[in-house]
Amino acid sequence: MALELDQAASPSLTHDIVRWISQEYHDMNGSSIQTLESPPTAAEFAQLVHISRPVVIKGFQIPALKRWTDDYLQTKLQDQLISVAITPNGQADAIAAGPGGRLFFVEPFIEKVSMGKLLEQLNAAERNSDNLSASYLQSQNGNMYSSSFFESPNDNSSEFGALRGDVPSNIPWVTEALGRNPDAVNLWIGNSKSITSIHSDPYENIYTVIRGSKHFTLLPPCEGWCLQERMYPHAVYGHTDNSNCLSVIPSSDTPQVRWSSVINPDLPGSLPSEAHPLHVTLEAGDTLYLPVGWWHYVQQSGPTTIALNWWYDAEVRGMNWIWLSLLRGSGDVPSGNDETDTR
């Protein structure tokens, strides 16, 4: 498939180029996801990073995690308060309608509860589909290990310090391949109501399921154009008028947020016909290598789903980061509340 670039780079031509790249990428790589039956060596993982396609890895076992029953987690953490995201529909960090019908990028209400209370909330929500809110431990700030831990190993700022003895701070074959420690290690606990809206991250991501199932919808960086990013005013969920219901509360001093306007890429018609989403389900014991820049939408099943992930900073030297920025688009992004926008 040839593409002649003999005219000035207009928006329509740029769009045609990106669509051509997207189709060429799919023609060369297809829709399959490689599965490894055992963890790679550092050299093998370095090659996977170079190829930059998702890979399912079997056999990456952390023996201590087999004892992570509800009783064990409650006993270890006791009354330690942990930060839990609360939303009306399970979608934290997502687009939602707010005052006046305007669309906002809305962050969750954060509630400090014990592990016992969180597990109780998750189980109650599974039993009662009419429950008014959804709880999801998804703080994404290195809640198990943050970058400060590697600067000062005696750092004890984690809410989950009592569980650190069960969780390695790094993955040897990744750390050796990339030549650095993780920027963050995160613990995720949710249920079937917990949804991660589609987005991409500036990290090489190693994601391991401990309990339950995780369902990923993935798109390569070259198909970011399919996700129709827009600029949205920022807001948070909160309680107003002494109500137990959560409302969207606009922020007054937070910059607008660039985010995909596609709420659920799995719904028919949500993506252009040219999109090539990949679908993969991780069961307990499975690990996903998710390369930097890949778009992902995540759902889960099971009354309590537990996962860990290790985020390693992307390599910004060379051309890779420049290509990712180009594929995402560096021009003006339309407003998500522009009624004249028909794209």
Side-chain angles (χ1 to χ4, degrees), residues 11 43 49 62 66 79 81 86 95 102 104 110 170 175 178 206 222 224 230 237 252 255 275 284 302 329:
V49 172
I62 305 174
K66 293 181 178 180
D79 295 326
L81 296 181
I86 311 294
I95 306 305
R102 298 183 72 213
F104 293 81
I110 302 299
N170 72 88
T175 297
L178 300 180
I206 304 294
C222 58
R230 299 291 183 264
Y237 283 115
S252 59

Side-chain angles (χ1 to χ4, degrees), residues 23-30:
Q23 187 59 50
E24 285 288 294
Y25 180 85
H26 180 261
D27 290 346
M28 294 183 68
N29 294 277

Side-chain angles (χ1 to χ4, degrees), residues 273-325:
S273 59
E274 300 96 330
H276 307 97
L278 308 180
H279 301 279
V280 61
T281 292
L282 300 183
E283 305 293 349
D286 290 343
T287 295
L288 177 67
Y289 163 55
L290 185 61
V292 58
W294 273 73
W295 298 86
H296 48 291
Y297 174 77
V298 191
Q299 298 173 290
Q300 45 204 321
S301 54
T304 305
T305 302
I306 303 177
L308 287 162
N309 85 302
W310 289 257
W311 268 336
Y312 286 78
D313 274 331
E315 178 59 75
V316 297
R317 296 174 298 176
M319 283 296 296
N320 189 45
W321 189 255
I322 296 172
W323 278 115
L324 289 173
S325 300

